[in-house]
Amino acid sequence: MEMMPHKKSGSPADIVQQIKQKRNQLSPPKKDIQRMEMPSQTNTVGAREIMHKITEGEKHLRKGNLFSSIVALREVLNLYTKTKDIQPKDRTTLANIINEVQRKLAESPEFIDLYGKVIFRDDDFATSYDFLCQLIMIKEEEIASVLVNDGINQSLKLDHLSKKDRETAKLMVSLAERGELSMLQELVAANDGLGSLVLAFYNEAGINYRKSGNIDKAIIEYKKALSISPKDEHLHYNMARAFMEIGQKKDAETCIGQAIQLNPYFYEGLKMQKYIEQWIG
């Protein structure tokens, strides 16, 4: 069955361009800033609340929960701009920490996979806030379009499931679409059979996109499948094949290497690895 395309609400690049028309163009980041703690003797309630939210967002990012880390950073920026009871010294320290957090987010593999290269301008928190708000809005619209799509529901084979299992499967899709890796994998571990359904859904979507020539979209769907089952050598094989079709030799080599590492006796993978080595060499 052909997969229905996701609703398109504009790419992150389009959003950046729109914001640039309203504000100054994003500039290259300054040199790395060492993480600084808020001085306890001058720490106000507002500053402590912001630091708590920063810590929460960083934990999400370390776990691979991209969407939650984006939401947390948006809340940090909102608090920073609206909270008045922050002493000047604390405000400067917080600004430096927020700049560092923005760079970590933009440089994370999960963020780059979904949104590409983005540079946040230091101290331009109004632009950052606008950008994150639009990323969140677009992602929620995309998720909504996925969950109400009849073709996708049929592909997931939800009709024969109980109401509880249908809701769990849709939650898995929602987490995969958001890039909430640790939350997704915990849910899959507790519901292995449903995880297999969602895994097959994304893998088949990737195959269909590859066959239709939409390789970039195929790679995105394979990555979602890998977020459910990162140790499946067949998914890494599919990724390698997609990268080969668009001439990205190094990426193909990396993916097939991961497949062989997971299963050294993976015959089809070994054949592809040999082919890629000859291709690169």
Side-chain angles (χ1 to χ4, degrees):
M1 178 181 293
E2 292 292 331
M3 178 176 175
M4 298 295 292
H6 292 182
K7 178 181 177 183
K8 295 183 179 179
S9 305
S11 68
D14 295 332
I15 300 170
V16 173
Q17 187 60 37
Q18 293 169 11
I19 296 173
K20 284 178 181 178
Q21 292 173 358
K22 299 178 182 179
R23 305 184 186 276
N24 293 330
Q25 187 173 8
L26 299 177
S27 65
K30 300 175 183 177
K31 64 181 180 180
D32 289 342
I33 298 173
Q34 295 297 319
R35 183 61 182 272
M36 292 168 281
E37 299 297 331
M38 295 298 299
S40 58
Q41 65 271 24
T42 60
N43 200 354
T44 61
V45 173
R48 287 198 299 271
E49 185 178 0
I50 292 170
M51 282 302 303
H52 174 75
K53 186 59 66 174
I54 287 172
T55 301
E56 177 185 312
E58 288 185 321
K59 287 180 180 178
H60 282 303
L61 189 59
R62 284 196 299 272
K63 291 181 178 180
N65 294 326
L66 178 62
F67 190 80
S68 292
S69 65
I70 291 174
V71 171
L73 178 55
R74 181 187 64 172
E75 293 177 8
V76 166
L77 296 171
N78 186 48
L79 285 170
Y80 180 84
T81 55
K82 291 186 176 181
T83 303
K84 304 302 181 184
D85 66 330
I86 302 176
Q87 297 184 22
K89 183 178 179 181
D90 288 352
R91 187 170 289 279
T92 299
T93 301
L94 280 170
N96 289 335
I97 294 172
I98 294 170
N99 288 331
E100 180 187 358
V101 170
Q102 289 184 147
R103 286 195 292 277
K104 285 182 179 179
L105 176 66
E107 293 169 0
S108 68
E110 296 85 2
F111 188 92
I112 293 172
D113 279 347
L114 279 180
Y115 302 116
K117 296 282 188 179
V118 173
I119 299 175
F120 291 94
R121 181 177 178 178
D122 282 355
D123 301 329
D124 189 0
F125 299 139
T127 296
S128 297
Y129 179 80
D130 288 347
F131 177 64
L132 295 178
C133 283
Q134 293 191 56
L135 284 188
I136 291 167
M137 179 184 68
I138 287 173
K139 180 54 65 177
E140 292 291 3
E141 289 178 352
E142 289 177 348
I143 292 167
S145 72
V146 169
L147 296 181
V148 301
N149 190 302
D150 290 337
I152 290 174
N153 286 331
Q154 291 174 12
S155 297
L156 279 169
K157 303 177 177 64
L158 298 182
D159 291 341
H160 71 284
L161 299 178
S162 67
K163 181 179 179 180
K164 180 181 178 181
D165 284 349
R166 285 198 299 271
E167 293 303 315
T168 301
K170 288 183 177 181
L171 178 57
M172 288 181 184
V173 171
S174 178
L175 292 173
E177 294 292 325
R178 287 185 172 94
E180 302 282 47
L181 301 185
S182 68
M183 295 180 188
L184 173 61
Q185 288 168 12
E186 287 175 8
L187 188 61
V188 169
N191 300 272
D192 188 56
L194 295 176
S196 296
L197 281 180
V198 179
L199 170 64
F201 163 69
Y202 281 121
N203 186 46
E204 289 171 9
I207 291 171
N208 289 335
Y209 277 119
R210 184 189 62 77
K211 288 181 177 179
S212 68
N214 193 341
I215 306 301
D216 289 341
K217 187 65 178 175
I219 290 170
I220 290 172
E221 298 304 301
Y222 287 143
K223 285 180 178 178
K224 292 173 187 174
L226 279 167
S227 71
I228 298 168
S229 183
K231 295 184 178 181
D232 188 325
E233 69 270 24
H234 298 93
L235 295 177
H236 290 284
Y237 174 94
N238 288 347
M239 283 276 288
R241 184 171 180 178
F243 280 125
M244 285 174 62
E245 292 200 14
I246 54 176
Q248 294 188 16
K249 301 177 182 180
K250 289 296 183 182
D251 289 326
E253 184 180 35
T254 298
C255 289
I256 201 61
Q258 290 170 333
I260 301 304
Q261 186 176 8
L262 289 167
N263 182 1
Y265 304 103
F266 181 24
Y267 178 69
E268 291 298 325
L270 290 168
K271 284 174 58 179
M272 179 181 285
Q273 187 179 51
K274 184 176 180 180
Y275 176 81
I276 292 173
E277 288 172 352
Q278 294 173 344
W279 183 30
I280 293 176

